């Protein structure tokens, strides 16, 4: 599998190709609930890091250069920042939780989006974080403790089988996927995508989204996201679900 499969369906093919072959800079999110972003950036710049804000993605910064890894700094250990691709902040911003909302993160580990949601909620209101794998939950808990997220309840379980009952105002389904969005970090190579894997992962994605619908109150909001380009894991999933589910799809206005 190569990027060429997308040439015939993209009207900005040249930009798409260039973006996928441009080295990816490290980005991080300032944990604004613990430190004002301008104070964090001042601390990092004082020890030699060169930073720039990411346009349209609040509290995210690119590391242009520095004396080492920003993940090895005191500021990271204190929970003042979380290393995360800026694009990974978009699902949380699109979900747009507010203080007091009941929020569900159906595929939470390792916690980048969960901690972002908690911050957007000002840690007010319940945020339920679900993941089925013990090893991944350990990573999730580590990030929650380090970043000081006090309103998160972690559940070890399969999101497809989460019990019905109380409904949520907002649900994030950041579904497991083939991971094509990691193309740049994998030295311009796609992960292996066998027909068996695609059949499995698309069934999983659709089942998670359908469960999310059952767990969302009327008038609530669901964001479905993946880190892959594959239309069979994105548009095709939404097309099937929209045909027979009591939901509509709305435009998202993010100034990026």
């Amino acid at each position: 599998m190569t990027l060429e499969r997308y040439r015939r369906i993209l009207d900005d093919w040249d930009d798409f190709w260039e973006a996928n072959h441009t080295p990816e800079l490290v980005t991080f999110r300032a944990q604004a609930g613990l430190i004002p972003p301008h104070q964090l950036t001042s601390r990092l710049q004082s020890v030699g890091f060169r930073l720039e804000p990411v346009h349209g993605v609040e509290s995210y910064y690119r590391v242009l250069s520095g004396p080492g890894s920003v993940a090895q700094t005191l500021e990271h250990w204190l929970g003042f920042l979380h290393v995360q691709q800026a694009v990974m902040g978009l699902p949380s911003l699109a979900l747009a939780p507010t203080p007091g909302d009941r929020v569900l993160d159906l595929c939470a580990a390792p916690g980048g989006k969960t901690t972002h949601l908690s911050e957007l909620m000002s840690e007010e209101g319940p945020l339920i974080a679900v993941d089925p794998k013990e090893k991944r939950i350990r990573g999730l808990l580590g990030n929650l403790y380090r970043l000081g997220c006090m309103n998160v309840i972690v559940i070890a379980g399969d999101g497809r089988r989460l019990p019905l009952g109380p409904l949520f105002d907002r649900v994030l389904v950041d579904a497991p996927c083939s991971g094509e969005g990691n193309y740049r970090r994998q030295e311009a190579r796609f992960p292996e995508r066998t027909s068996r894997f695609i059949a499995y992962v698309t069934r999983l994605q659709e089942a998670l989204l359908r469960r999310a619908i059952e767990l969302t109150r009327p008038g609530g909001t669901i964001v479905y996201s993946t880190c892959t380009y594959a239309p069979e894991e994105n548009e095709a999933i939404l097309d099937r679900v929209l045909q027979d589910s009591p939901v509509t799809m709305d435009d998202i206005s993010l100034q990026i």
Side-chain angles (χ1 to χ4, degrees):
M1 188 67 65
T2 70
L3 289 177
E4 288 293 329
R5 75 183 290 236
Y6 298 110
R7 181 188 289 271
R8 63 185 178 84
I9 62 175
L10 292 176
D11 56 12
D12 57 349
W13 165 256
D14 290 339
D15 291 337
F16 176 74
W17 177 269
E18 181 180 358
N20 272 281
H21 292 85
T22 300
E24 182 179 22
L25 295 175
V26 171
T27 58
F28 66 84
R29 174 174 54 83
Q31 188 72 354
L34 295 181
I35 186 173
H38 72 275
Q39 290 186 17
L40 171 61
T41 55
S42 293
R43 290 175 63 132
L44 293 173
Q45 288 166 342
S46 71
V47 295
F49 286 96
R50 290 180 56 239
L51 311 170
E52 69 175 11
V54 178
H55 175 71
V57 191
E58 186 176 359
S59 298
Y60 279 79
Y61 297 86
R62 293 187 186 90
V63 180
L64 303 179
S65 63
S69 169
V70 73
Q72 298 298 319
T73 60
L74 174 64
E75 287 73 18
H76 182 271
W77 184 82
L78 291 171
F80 292 167
L81 64 91
H82 182 67
V83 177
Q84 184 181 35
Q85 293 170 291
V87 69
M88 298 300 184
L90 299 183
S92 302
L93 293 173
L95 193 65
T98 59
D101 281 345
R102 292 168 295 181
V103 180
L104 172 63
D105 187 347
L106 207 53
C107 310
K113 298 177 182 68
T114 309
T115 56
H116 193 187
L117 291 170
S118 177
E119 180 177 301
L120 293 172
M121 299 168 67
S122 300
E123 298 185 12
E124 297 179 20
L127 170 52
I128 310 302
V130 181
D131 203 89
K133 296 184 179 180
E134 180 181 344
K135 182 177 181 180
R136 289 174 57 83
I137 287 177
R138 289 200 295 267
L140 167 63
L141 290 171
N143 282 320
L144 292 174
Y145 297 151
R146 182 175 60 84
L147 296 169
C149 300
M150 304 297 292
N151 68 320
V152 182
I153 299 170
V154 176
I155 294 178
D158 187 335
R160 295 170 293 181
R161 298 176 177 85
L162 200 65
L164 301 178
L167 300 180
F168 293 87
D169 300 300
R170 301 176 191 272
V171 179
L172 175 61
V173 184
D174 185 52
C177 68
S178 58
E180 292 178 346
N182 295 320
Y183 180 82
R184 287 189 294 177
R185 287 192 292 171
Q186 295 176 333
E187 299 179 349
R189 293 177 299 180
F190 268 143
E192 185 178 2
R193 299 174 71 249
T194 64
S195 58
R196 182 177 180 180
F197 172 77
I198 294 303
Y200 160 76
V201 80
T202 52
R203 286 195 301 269
L204 172 62
Q205 292 160 343
E206 183 173 343
L208 286 166
L209 181 53
R210 290 187 182 277
R211 197 57 159 182
I213 293 169
E214 295 175 321
L215 291 165
T216 305
R217 67 166 176 81
T221 300
I222 301 167
V223 168
Y224 174 83
S225 61
T226 71
C227 58
T228 193
Y229 311 127
E232 58 268 30
E233 300 179 56
N234 293 300
E235 290 87 348
I237 299 293
L238 297 182
D239 182 63
R240 288 198 296 272
V241 170
L242 287 168
Q243 287 182 31
D244 59 10
S245 299
V247 292
T248 58
M249 190 162 58
D250 295 329
D251 290 334
I252 297 174
S253 297
L254 293 176
Q255 303 301 314
I256 58 175

